[in-house]
Amino acid sequence: DPEPQQPILTLVASILSLCAFILGFTFGLASSHSDARRQAIFDEAVAISTAYRRAELLPDPERSNVRRLLRDYVDLRLNAGRSVDNRDASEQLRQLQTEIWTESVTASRHAVERSALPLIQSVADVIDVHAARVLAGVRSRIPFTVWAVMYSIMAIAVSAAGYQAGLAGGRRSLAAVFYALVFGAVIMMIAAADVPGSEQIRASHQA
């Protein structure tokens, strides 16, 4: 007394549609995290460039010291952004931020007509944008609950499709392999976009 195929076919189509919706929703979250990291890189480049130009308002030797520290900061920031484990680089970045801030404040005390105030504002922007970039890169992740729901629905969808194929008396087909590979490829794209510094999708540091 086999089960009728039409109700099962309707259920499979509904489950696959729900799976597609969850995959699209999760991919949207990962894509927004990736876009936020790229925007943070651009904002940080603009802030550093502005601070470097405003250092021209300082007299020597403060001007040379601040610009040298900013160049060292850029080099270190690039190395930190391209490495997977950058805990040591993060600590060095914080130390450089402190040195740049101290040098800028010291220069403002000797500057005339408050010429160092724009530089102090730019240095504060560099520090704030760095914090926002760390937040976007480290804290912004797809929640575990979303991953669990997505994997559960995907497993149910694949199982339901296999069950419906069994009712139809279908043989093992090469199409089933591609069916699984499609799901695996989408999951890899979501994970690569969500995790910063991954080899699959790496944010450009051209800015």
Side-chain angles (χ1 to χ4, degrees):
D1 188 16
E3 196 173 355
Q5 295 187 31
Q6 189 59 39
I8 298 300
L9 188 61
T10 303
L11 288 175
V12 171
S14 300
I15 294 174
L16 287 175
S17 298
L18 179 61
C19 184
F21 172 76
I22 294 297
L23 286 174
F25 170 76
T26 310
F27 186 82
L29 288 178
S31 179
S32 65
H33 295 166
S34 179
D35 291 340
R37 290 194 297 271
R38 283 194 290 267
Q39 183 63 40
I41 292 176
F42 178 78
D43 293 340
E44 189 172 26
V46 172
I48 294 174
S49 176
T50 302
Y52 191 84
R53 289 195 302 269
R54 289 182 176 179
E56 183 68 26
L57 300 174
L58 300 178
D60 275 328
E62 288 85 357
R63 175 175 57 214
S64 300
N65 293 336
V66 170
R67 287 192 161 184
R68 174 183 54 81
L69 290 173
L70 286 173
R71 287 194 297 269
D72 294 341
Y73 185 85
V74 170
D75 294 337
L76 186 59
R77 196 66 187 87
L78 286 173
N79 294 331
R82 292 167 179 166
S83 61
V84 178
D85 187 7
N86 52 12
R87 285 173 292 183
D88 294 338
S90 297
E91 182 62 29
Q92 295 176 9
L93 283 171
R94 285 192 290 268
Q95 294 177 359
L96 262 181
Q97 288 175 357
T98 302
E99 293 180 20
I100 295 172
W101 178 259
T102 302
E103 189 72 27
S104 301
V105 172
T106 303
S108 67
R109 294 171 181 170
H110 300 89
V112 295
E113 297 180 359
R114 299 184 178 181
S115 59
L117 291 181
L119 173 63
I120 293 178
Q121 180 60 47
S122 297
V123 172
D125 291 341
V126 171
I127 297 174
D128 292 342
V129 172
H130 170 75
R133 183 176 172 184
V134 171
L135 182 64
V138 177
R139 300 296 182 183
S140 298
R141 290 288 191 282
I142 295 176
F144 173 78
T145 304
V146 176
W147 282 109
V149 170
M150 182 181 64
Y151 275 119
S152 300
I153 294 178
M154 188 170 59
I156 293 173
V158 174
S159 301
Y163 181 71
Q164 192 274 331
L167 286 179
R171 289 183 166 186
R172 294 181 180 178
S173 172
L174 186 62
V177 177
F178 294 107
Y179 185 79
L181 289 177
V182 167
F183 279 102
V186 173
I187 293 298
M188 286 182 62
M189 289 179 61
I190 293 174
D194 186 57
V195 178
S198 60
E199 294 298 331
Q200 292 86 357
I201 301 178
R202 185 180 291 274
S204 173
H205 289 79
Q206 184 62 35

